[in-house]
Amino acid sequence: MTDTLTLAPDLTLSRMGYGAMQLAGPNAFGPPRDRAEAVRVLRTAVDLGITHLDTSDYYGPVVTNEIIREALHPYAPELRIVTKVGFTRGPDGSWDPHPHHLRDQVHANLDHLGLDVLDAVNLRVEGPASVAGPFGELADLRREGLIRHLGLSNATAAQVAEAREIAPVVFVQNLYNLADRRDDTLIDTLAADGIGYVPFWPLGGWNPVRSATLDKVAADLGATPKQVALAWLLHRSPNILLIPGTSTVPHLTENIAAATLHLPTEALTRLGDLG
């Protein structure tokens, strides 16, 4: 299905993963429109070889993790579930930074996923402030055996460097796609150090990637523009891991097919110019 990336002896991930945010309701808030389809999406993803599942207890909140547990528990031994802490949700669905009481957030993820230890936890960062306090708290939980590996989300290069002084960082999860390449230097730095990079909004998120060049390359290859955009990310660097999300099985299989889409040199050059 897709190749893998090993970031630690006990952390081998399929480079094409799955992001579970869209399993909750609109804006990742409330229950899904079709819970049975959400369960089918998760089971299909695992059946098709995905071993990298990205989630958070603040998706829903709680809803997504409960669906994951319903669909997949007891978990396949090769499946790695990566979660995030550092935010909470308001009663109106607002996304509220909350870099405090991370121990409680970790325990909530453990409880709702039905786990004794989390494979990996990302600290979701908001703004350029020091991460020493919250990342240090997660490092303490790692030493206690509640977390195996740590990462950062929405972090600057300086915050990544600061965190690495506190505890090992296995990956960074930031905004990056064909049209937004502000993290080019960071990706290359992390690759040289054996650290993974996970683009969120790989297709542009609220502002989907659109380009006549992208459309033409896709047409030439008999693929969709979304598949080409995902395939380009996998070609961009060997340390990139993808977690595109969806709430339907057909869209899931379309995304997974991008993992085997070959982009010829000429196509890579044309797409590279988009940035």
Side-chain angles (χ1 to χ4, degrees), residues 224-236:
T224 68
K226 290 181 179 180
Q227 287 175 320
V228 172
L230 293 172
W232 179 85
L233 287 166
L234 291 173
H235 282 73
R236 165 61 182 83

Side-chain angles (χ1 to χ4, degrees), residues 20-21 23-25 27-32 35 42 55-71 75 83-84 87-90 95 104-114:
M21 184 174 75
L23 293 184
N27 194 34
F29 191 71
R35 189 181 182 99
L42 288 163
T55 185
S56 176
D57 217 46
Y58 56 72
Y59 296 159
V62 178
V63 172
T64 294
N65 279 352
E66 289 184 338
I67 295 173
I68 289 171
R69 182 173 183 173
E70 175 187 341
Y75 302 110
T83 189
K84 286 178 290 297
F87 264 62
T88 57
R89 305 298 296 277
W95 301 78
D104 293 341
Q105 295 180 46
V106 166
H107 276 286
N109 277 278
L110 287 166
D111 291 344
H112 295 134
L113 289 167

Side-chain angles (χ1 to χ4, degrees), residues 131-133 135-137 139-140 142-143 150 161-168:
V131 298
F135 198 79
E137 185 175 355
D140 289 340
R142 176 176 172 268
R143 282 188 288 270
L150 299 176
E162 181 184 30
R164 293 180 67 186
E165 293 294 322
I166 298 169

Side-chain angles (χ1 to χ4, degrees), residues 127-148:
S130 169
V131 298
F135 198 79
E137 185 175 355
L138 292 180
D140 289 340
L141 295 170
R142 176 176 172 268
R143 282 188 288 270
E144 292 174 25
L146 295 178
I147 303 169
R148 292 192 177 97

Side-chain angles (χ1 to χ4, degrees), residues 33-76:
R33 296 184 181 92
D34 187 340
R35 189 181 182 99
E37 179 69 359
V39 169
R40 282 192 292 272
V41 166
L42 288 163
R43 291 176 176 167
T44 301
V46 172
D47 288 345
L48 292 177
I50 284 179
T51 64
H52 177 194
L53 177 58
D54 180 85
T55 185
S56 176
D57 217 46
Y58 56 72
Y59 296 159
V62 178
V63 172
T64 294
N65 279 352
E66 289 184 338
I67 295 173
I68 289 171
R69 182 173 183 173
E70 175 187 341
L72 301 177
H73 194 279
Y75 302 110

Side-chain angles (χ1 to χ4, degrees), residues 141-196:
L141 295 170
R142 176 176 172 268
R143 282 188 288 270
E144 292 174 25
L146 295 178
I147 303 169
R148 292 192 177 97
H149 301 285
L150 299 176
L152 293 159
S153 179
N154 202 43
T156 66
Q159 289 168 327
V160 173
E162 181 184 30
R164 293 180 67 186
E165 293 294 322
I166 298 169
V169 171
V170 293
F171 38 53
V172 175
Q173 187 181 100
N174 278 1
L175 171 62
Y176 187 82
N177 54 56
L178 258 174
D180 190 329
R181 303 188 196 171
R182 284 171 286 183
D183 267 3
D184 269 335
T185 299
L186 178 60
I187 289 171
D188 294 338
T189 299
L190 296 176
D193 291 341
I195 297 172

